[in-house]
Amino acid sequence: MTDLDLTDLLPAEQRLLTAALAGESCHLLDRQVRPKHDEIIDWDDPNREIRAEFLSQLMTHQHPYTNLRTISVQGAVITGELRVDGDLVVVLGISLAYCKLDSINLGGVKFTGEVRFEGSTFAGSARFEGSTFGGNARFNSATFTQAARFEMTSFTREARFGGARFVGDAVFGRATFAADAKFGRAVFDGNARFGGATFTESARFGVASFGGFAKFGGVTFGGDAVFGGSTFAGYARFGGATFTANARFSGATFNGNVGFDGVAFTGNAKFGKATFVRHVKFDGATFTGEFSLDLNEVMAGSVSFRRSRFDGTVDGVWSAREVVLDEARFSEPVIVRLLCRSLRMRDVELRSGGALQVRGAIDATAAKFGDRTTLSDPGNAEWANWLRGPHRRKINHKMVAHEERSALAEALFPALDTCTSVRSLRRATVADLELSAVDLTDCFFVGAHGLDKMRIDSACTLPTTPTAPEGWRPPRFTRRDAIAEERLWREQYKTWERASDSANHPAKAGPEGTGSNDTAAVLTPVTPDQNADNDPPNATMIAGIYRSLRKGREDASNAPEAADLYYGEMEMRRLAWTEKHSGGRTPSFAEHCLLTAYWAVSGYGLRAWRAFASIGVVIAIATGIFATVGVEDPPGVTEKVSWVHPISGAVAYAQVPKAPFGWGDAFELAARNSVALLRNPSNTPNLTPIGTFTDIAVRLLVPVLLALALLAIRGRTKR
C-alpha cells in the first residue's frame, strides 16, 4: 500500500477526514435521500470521489491521526480496490451507506465495531471471506453486481441483508451467524451458497427471491428458519440441514426441484400454502416436533418421503400429482388428507395407526399397519374450494396473480373427479386395517398378513363378473365379486380370453372346457407392478386369499358378500387341477370331478336357480326312464262291461288289453317319488331294475338339491 500525502486530498476525502476527527458522519448527499442502485451506478461526480488507499489507511490507523473511533460516509464513490494487507487485521467499524465501491477485498479482517453498507452498490467483486464482524453487519438494500464472498465469515452480532440484491453468486459457505440473520426480501439473481453455514439464532429469508441454485446443504439452523413467501426459481437444496427450532416455508414457491434429503426437523416444519411446481424430496428426513409437518393447502408436482421418520403429527389438506412414502415410519397416530394421482407407500410403517384420507391410487405393498388404521375416500369437498383459487401472492407489498400455483392447480383439477383405489396390499400387514369406500378393482392381496381380520365395508368396490348379454345370447354370468389375482391367473391359463378381447367377449370358456360361467371380470387389463411380483400366484394361494377375505366378511356379519368370496375360493380349488408345474398343491382328479359336479348342480350351494334347474333335469330324466324302460309292461288283459240286460240286469263283460304306462304316468311317478324320500308311495307300478335304481336316485338327489337351493337362498338373504 502506498503512502498518501494528506496535504493533497480530494474534496470528499478532506470532508471525510474532518468528520472522522470530529467523530461525526460525512454526508455527501442529503440525509433524507435514499438513492436506488440505478442512480448510484451512474454516479460520476469528482466531488464524491474517495480513493480506496486513503480509506484503507484510515481504517488501519496508517495516518498521523490515531484517535479515530469510526469512519462514516454516505454518498461517496470509492475508487480502486478497498483492501487491507495481513492476516486478521483489526480495523475500525465503518459505515459506507449508499456508496459506490469499485471493488472490495476485506477477507481475513476483524471489524471491531459496526459495519454498515446499507444501500451501497458493489460495482466489482466483494470479498469478505474469513472476516469477523465484531459488531452488527448491515448490508440492507445493498447491491452486489458480481460475486459476493462471505465464506467462513463470522458474524458475532446481527447480520442484516434485508432487501439486498446479489446479481452474481452469493457465497456464505461455512459462515457463522451468532445472532439473528436477516435476509428478508433479498434477491439472489445468481446462485446462493450457504452450505455448511451455522445460524445460532433465527435465520429470516421471508419473501426472498432465489433466481439460481439455492444451496443450504448441511446448514444448522439453531433458531427459527423463516422462508415464508420466498420464491425459488432454480434448484433448492437443503440436504443434511438441521432445523432445531421451527422451519417456516409457508407460502413459498419452488419452481425447480427441491431437496430436503436427510434434513432433521427438530421443531415444527410449516409448509402451509407452499407451491412445489416440480419435484420435492424429503428422503431420509426426520420430523421430531410436536406438530411435525404442516402441509395445509400445499400443492406439488411430486413429493418423496422415502425412509423419513415422523415422531409427531402430519397436518393439513394438501395435493400433489404423485407422492412416495416408501419405508417411511410414523410413530404417532397419523392423519393424512391428500389428493393425488398416485400414492406409493411400500414398506411404510404406521406404528400407532391413524386415518389415511386419500383420494387417488394407492400402492401399499409390504406396508405395516401396526394399530387401527382407516383408509377411506374423503370425497373432494376439502379440496374443491382452495384448489380452484383464485391464487394470489404479495410481491413488493402488492397482491398479484400467482401464475405458477394457478397452472399447477389446473393440472391437479382432474384428480377431483377420481376415487380412492388401492392397487396393492402385497405382503402388507393388514390385520388392523379398515377400508372404507375405496375401489379394490385392481388390488393385489397375495402375501398379505391378517386378511381374515381386515375390515372391508360394503361401500368398497371389488371387480365383478359381466352380466350384460353377449350379442344374440342371453346373459351367461351371474354377478359376483372377484379379486385381481383371479383375473390375472385366468388370463395366464386361458380359462377366459385375455382382457384385450374381453371388452367384446367378456366371458368365453377356455378351450379345455374349464371356464366357469361366473368368473369373467368387466374391467381393464390387470397390469401388475413391474417391480413387484409379476407372476400371478397359483390357484391354491388365491383360494387362501379368498378364504381369509371371506372370514373377515363373515365376522362383519356380511353374509351375501362372504358368499361371493366363498364362490371364488371354491372356483380356484376346482380349477387348481388345470395348473401345470405351478409348484402349489394340485388336487386329485377325483376331487376335481367332485368340485365340478358341486359347481354344476348348485354353484357351490350359492346358486339357487342351478339347484332348481338340476331338480327339473333329474325329474325329466326320471320321467323318460319310467316312460320307456323303467316300468314293467302290464301282463294279460282286463274285463270291461260291454252291456247290461235291461230286464234281468245281467251284465256281459268283454276282455280288453291293459292300458300301457304313459308319459303322463311317468311324470307323475317321478314327481311323486322325488319328494317321497324313503316312503314308498301307494299305487306304484312294478319297476324294472333300471326303474328301481332311478327311483332310488330320484328320492335321494331331489331332496339334496332342494336343500342346496334353500341354502343358496339363505346365503343371499341372511343378515
Side-chain angles (χ1 to χ4, degrees):
M1 182 181 298
T2 60
D3 294 332
L4 294 178
D5 184 0
L6 297 181
T7 62
D8 188 19
L9 298 180
L10 299 176
E13 294 173 346
Q14 184 62 56
R15 292 180 60 181
L16 173 58
L17 179 59
T18 301
L21 292 173
E24 298 175 351
S25 178
C26 176
H27 295 275
L28 300 179
L29 74 167
D30 193 295
R31 297 190 181 188
Q32 305 301 321
V33 175
R34 296 291 184 268
K36 302 297 184 182
H37 163 71
D38 293 341
E39 300 176 51
I40 296 176
I41 199 67
D42 291 333
W43 280 350
D44 190 18
D45 185 356
N47 291 326
R48 298 181 183 276
E49 182 179 351
I50 296 177
R51 289 167 292 180
E53 294 90 343
F54 170 73
L55 187 58
S56 177
Q57 286 189 2
L58 294 184
M59 292 167 53
T60 56
H61 304 283
Q62 298 181 31
H63 58 83
Y65 308 101
T66 59
N67 60 342
L68 300 181
R69 290 174 297 181
T70 184
I71 300 173
S72 176
V73 61
Q74 184 176 4
V77 176
I78 313 300
T79 59
E81 183 182 36
L82 178 61
R83 61 179 298 165
V84 296
D85 297 323
D87 296 330
L88 201 60
V89 177
V90 178
V91 301
L92 296 174
I94 59 174
S95 175
L96 301 178
Y98 300 99
C99 293
K100 175 183 176 183
L101 299 96
D102 285 348
S103 178
I104 185 169
N105 185 352
L106 297 178
V109 170
K110 181 177 181 181
F111 297 94
T112 59
E114 186 175 68
V115 176
R116 305 181 64 172
F117 288 91
E118 297 106 318
S120 293
T121 293
F122 297 86
S125 62
R127 307 189 63 174
F128 293 89
E129 61 264 39
S131 297
T132 301
F133 292 85
N136 294 331
R138 301 187 179 184
F139 290 84
N140 310 65
S141 302
T143 300
F144 299 86
T145 59
Q146 296 185 23
R149 310 191 68 90
F150 290 87
E151 302 104 309
M152 296 182 289
T153 300
S154 177
F155 298 89
T156 60
R157 303 289 294 275
E158 273 192 352
R160 298 186 180 183
F161 289 84
R165 181 170 185 176
F166 299 87
V167 179
D169 289 354
V171 185
F172 289 84
R174 291 179 290 172
T176 302
F177 299 84
D180 292 344
K182 300 180 179 180
F183 288 83
R185 299 184 307 280
V187 177
F188 299 86
D189 292 331
N191 299 325
R193 305 175 184 270
F194 287 82
T198 300
F199 295 87
T200 305
E201 300 294 334
S202 65
R204 301 184 179 277
F205 290 83
V207 203
S209 176
F210 298 86
F213 293 156
K215 297 187 177 181
F216 290 85
V219 173
T220 299
F221 296 93
D224 289 350
V226 182
F227 290 85
S230 297
T231 301
F232 297 81
Y235 176 57
R237 183 179 185 275
F238 290 82
T242 300
F243 295 85
T244 58
N246 296 327
R248 301 177 182 175
F249 291 85
S250 303
T253 300
F254 299 86
N255 292 323
N257 293 331
V258 188
F260 286 93
D261 314 61
V263 173
F265 293 94
T266 305
N268 300 326
K270 299 183 178 182
F271 289 85
K273 296 186 178 180
T275 303
F276 300 92
V277 176
R278 299 182 67 183
H279 183 60
V280 54
K281 296 175 64 175
F282 290 89
D283 296 351
T286 57
F287 301 85
T288 57
E290 180 181 0
F291 303 100
S292 291
L293 184 58
D294 176 14
L295 296 172
N296 192 45
E297 297 189 21
V298 165
M299 286 195 294
S302 61
V303 185
S304 175
F305 287 95
R306 286 187 180 90
R307 300 180 301 279
S308 294
R309 302 293 182 268
F310 298 85
D311 293 333
T313 61
V314 178
D315 190 26
V317 180
W318 54 297
S319 179
R321 288 193 187 94
E322 299 176 350
V323 177
V324 177
L325 289 173
D326 293 353
E327 301 180 57
R329 300 292 181 265
F330 295 87
S331 299
E332 299 296 325
V334 60
I335 298 178
V336 173
R337 291 176 289 178
L338 171 63
L339 170 71
C340 67
R341 201 165 50 188
S342 67
L343 169 62
R344 204 173 74 188
M345 43 189 301
R346 298 175 181 174
D347 199 30
V348 71
E349 182 177 353
L350 283 74
R351 297 175 182 174
S352 301
L356 302 176
Q357 300 174 12
V358 180
R359 195 165 178 83
I362 303 170
D363 179 357
T365 300
K368 301 176 182 64
F369 302 96
D371 206 340
R372 177 57 61 189
T373 305
T374 302
L375 197 161
S376 61
D377 184 346
N380 61 16
E382 292 192 279
W383 292 271
N385 292 331
W386 65 266
L387 194 60
R388 295 186 182 277
H391 301 290
R392 302 173 65 83
R393 61 177 171 176
K394 182 179 290 188
I395 297 180
N396 295 329
H397 307 288
K398 295 181 180 180
M399 297 301 297
V400 298
H402 197 329
E403 297 179 358
E404 297 87 354
R405 188 172 175 88
S406 297
L408 183 56
E410 186 176 351
L412 295 172
F413 284 160
L416 290 171
D417 299 325
T418 63
C419 62
T420 301
S421 63
V422 179
R423 299 300 178 88
S424 174
L425 288 173
R426 295 182 181 92
R427 304 188 304 280
T429 302
V430 296
D432 292 304
L433 178 62
E434 179 176 351
L435 302 177
S436 176
V438 301
D439 184 2
L440 301 175
T441 297
D442 295 320
C443 182
F444 290 85
F445 299 94
V446 63
H449 306 281
L451 283 174
D452 57 328
K453 297 180 180 179
M454 182 177 69
R455 293 291 179 265
I456 304 176
D457 71 11
S458 57
C460 293
T461 303
L462 282 169
T464 59
T465 54
T467 56
E470 191 175 345
W472 56 269
R473 305 176 189 174
R476 298 174 54 198
F477 304 97
T478 303
R479 183 184 181 90
R480 73 170 174 90
D481 290 341
I483 59 175
E485 280 90 349
E486 180 182 352
R487 288 184 291 148
L488 192 63
W489 184 92
R490 288 180 178 276
E491 289 177 2
Q492 179 179 10
Y493 288 94
K494 298 182 180 179
T495 61
W496 65 26
E497 62 274 25
R498 295 195 175 274
S500 59
D501 302 325
S502 62
N504 297 323
H505 304 285
K508 287 184 180 178
E512 299 178 2
T514 57
S516 165
N517 287 346
D518 299 271
T519 50
V522 289
L523 299 165
T524 55
V526 181
T527 306
D529 196 306
Q530 296 301 317
N531 296 323
D533 307 349
N534 290 347
D535 295 332
N538 59 54
T540 304
M541 294 175 64
I542 299 175
I545 296 173
Y546 271 121
R547 188 178 305 114
S548 297
L549 292 174
R550 171 174 61 86
K551 177 65 165 53
R553 292 293 178 96
E554 290 174 345
D555 291 345
S557 300
N558 190 343
E561 294 186 13
D564 280 356
L565 297 175
Y566 173 72
Y567 195 105
E569 174 190 350
M570 297 301 293
E571 274 288 89
M572 300 317 296
R573 286 182 57 190
R574 177 176 71 88
L575 297 177
W577 185 76
T578 65
E579 287 184 320
K580 306 300 181 184
H581 310 293
S582 65
R585 173 188 174 273
T586 302
S588 64
F589 179 71
E591 181 180 351
H592 171 70
C593 293
L594 178 62
L595 292 175
T596 301
Y598 190 24
W599 160 73
V601 300
S602 67
Y604 310 112
L606 295 173
R607 301 292 184 259
W609 69 270
R610 288 195 195 181
F612 286 122
S614 298
I615 292 174
V617 171
V618 170
I619 293 177
I621 293 174
T623 298
I625 293 175
F626 288 146
T628 54
V629 297
V631 177
E632 294 181 353
D633 293 332
V637 295
T638 184
E639 293 182 342
K640 181 180 180 180
V641 176
S642 61
W643 60 273
V644 178
H645 193 277
I647 299 175
S648 63
V651 178
Y653 295 91
Q655 292 184 344
V656 296
K658 289 185 177 180
F661 194 78
W663 283 92
D665 299 321
F667 176 76
E668 179 185 357
L669 176 62
R672 185 173 64 243
N673 285 9
S674 67
V675 294
L677 194 57
L678 300 179
R679 186 176 63 85
N680 189 22
S682 60
N683 301 324
T684 300
N686 294 329
L687 303 177
T688 64
I690 295 177
T692 300
F693 177 80
T694 302
D695 181 47
I696 295 173
V698 168
R699 295 187 190 190
L700 293 178
L701 288 177
V702 172
V704 171
L705 292 173
L706 183 60
L708 290 174
L710 296 176
L711 179 64
I713 294 174
R714 175 60 173 166
R716 288 298 176 182
T717 59
K718 182 180 178 181
R719 298 179 59 185

